[in-house]
Amino acid sequence: MNNPDTSSQYGPIGECGLRFFGKVSASISHEIKNVLAIINENAGLLEDLSFAAQRGAAIDPERLNRACLQFSKQIRRADGIIKNMNQFAHSVDQFAAPVDLCNTTELVCNLAGRLAAMRKITLQIIPPHAPVVIDANPFLLENLIWLGLEYALENTSEALSLTLAPEQSDSGTSLRITGIDGLSEDFSDKLPAGCKDLLSASNAHLAVDTAHKALIIHLS
Amino acid sequence: MSEKILLIDDEQDFLNIMAERMEARDMNVSTASSAKEGLEKAAAGTFDAVILDLRMPEMDGMEALKILKEKNPDLEVILLTGHATLKDGVEAMKLGALDLLEKPADINTLTERIHSAHAKKLVFFEKKNEEMIKNIMGTKGW
């Protein structure tokens, strides 16, 4: 996983990695468009109020205040989206780095937030007692968690909750995604395209715990 | 006469502000925060136009458009989307949408489309009335 040669890092997962980048970018741009639409309408409302005031109508200060609160709320929302996008974009800067698994899981959950919301599924991270830090290629790790989460979202009924728990034990480091009610033993046939290449490039493997409806990504 | 509009979007903040701005333009606005709720409201009332978000949880706007048009082919539907692709546009028109507008939409453009939906509906009812009167006259031999 720590080979600094670009082709051997990304070559085998080229299409899968590009698809991941594309999906994340599309989701982010869609979310930003929604934020812009709300800001646009609130700006339009101020224009409406100012137009009415020019014709002698009284302006309700409370209404102005609510519009300002909406601006702040949407700016905070966009700021959060862009921070995640920036962190994601910089994940290709280094081929190998010490990575906090919980932070990376949180980033991927934020990036997948819209996809989860579309299925009304809640994502919850269970933080480990102590930080779980591994040497990894940040982008490949994000891609791997994304694919695991994508599989989990597609195989979980609407309005349920998925928990993601980074774990470290004597047997190694893993991420456990629990709550997949449609999980089956033949899960490997349902894995998204490119998953096997990505697992191989990341020196990782997947396992299922059907009793706990969990998909486990073993990272070392 | 004010237009009766049904606004369907899963973004509650967007729904609230759009409803407020349309009401300020003398429209009578009902809102729904999911396609399912929107379909129920559309079935229970009479509207001049439905403004429908394309990407929503559970059921997307395209599927909702199909159902709305199946139940009431004369209902005018305007789709709103964050990103309008050519494919979406073609599909929306095939399903009978009046227009597909991209967010953030200009309120004047949207208002114009709503007025044209209302006008189309009035023409449709005028024609229907004319036909009905002609039928009555024919039956009675007047």
Side-chain angles (χ1 to χ4, degrees), chain A residues 40-154:
Chain A
N40 182 58
E41 293 314 320
N42 277 282
L45 178 85
L46 294 186
E47 224 178 295
D48 290 349
L49 292 175
S50 127
F51 187 74
Q54 280 167 15
R55 272 146 192 80
I59 294 183
D60 175 12
E62 176 53 30
R63 187 61 200 94
L64 284 181
N65 191 38
R66 273 192 285 140
C68 292
L69 289 175
Q70 266 300 330
F71 285 126
S72 312
K73 181 182 171 185
Q74 296 307 324
I75 287 166
R76 274 198 307 275
R77 182 180 166 193
D79 187 47
I81 296 166
I82 289 167
K83 268 184 189 152
N84 287 331
M85 185 188 175
N86 185 270
Q87 195 184 338
F88 173 64
H90 281 293
S91 62
V92 292
D93 290 354
Q94 287 176 295
F95 294 122
V99 181
D100 183 310
L101 185 56
C102 194
N103 288 348
T104 305
T105 304
E106 198 179 342
L107 172 66
V108 177
C109 285
N110 288 337
L111 295 173
R114 194 168 178 278
L115 295 183
M118 292 296 279
R119 294 188 51 81
K120 294 197 162 182
I121 292 173
T122 312
L123 302 178
Q124 193 197 348
I125 298 170
I126 301 175
H129 297 299
V132 177
V133 178
I134 53 168
D135 280 325
N137 176 318
F139 180 72
L140 291 189
L141 181 61
E142 286 160 12
N143 196 351
L144 192 58
I145 298 172
W146 173 275
L147 284 177
L149 195 53
E150 195 174 45
Y151 168 81
L153 288 170
E154 277 165 17

Side-chain angles (χ1 to χ4, degrees), chain B residues 8-73:
Chain B
I8 309 171
D9 199 300
D10 65 313
E11 282 272 344
Q12 195 61 51
D13 288 333
F14 182 73
L15 208 53
N16 295 343
I17 187 80
M18 279 301 279
E20 187 176 351
R21 294 196 74 201
M22 286 177 159
E23 277 163 3
R25 282 161 178 74
D26 289 328
M27 294 180 201
N28 183 345
V29 185
S30 295
T31 60
S33 56
S34 70
K36 192 173 165 253
E37 188 191 348
L39 291 175
E40 283 167 7
K41 287 196 173 175
T46 313
F47 296 95
D48 293 305
V50 174
I51 317 291
L52 180 62
D53 184 28
L54 195 57
R55 308 264 178 257
M56 284 184 290
E58 291 179 287
M59 185 192 293
D60 73 9
M62 212 60 91
E63 203 182 331
L65 167 67
K66 204 173 163 188
I67 298 171
L68 284 169
K69 283 294 198 179
E70 272 168 10
K71 290 191 173 166
N72 184 359

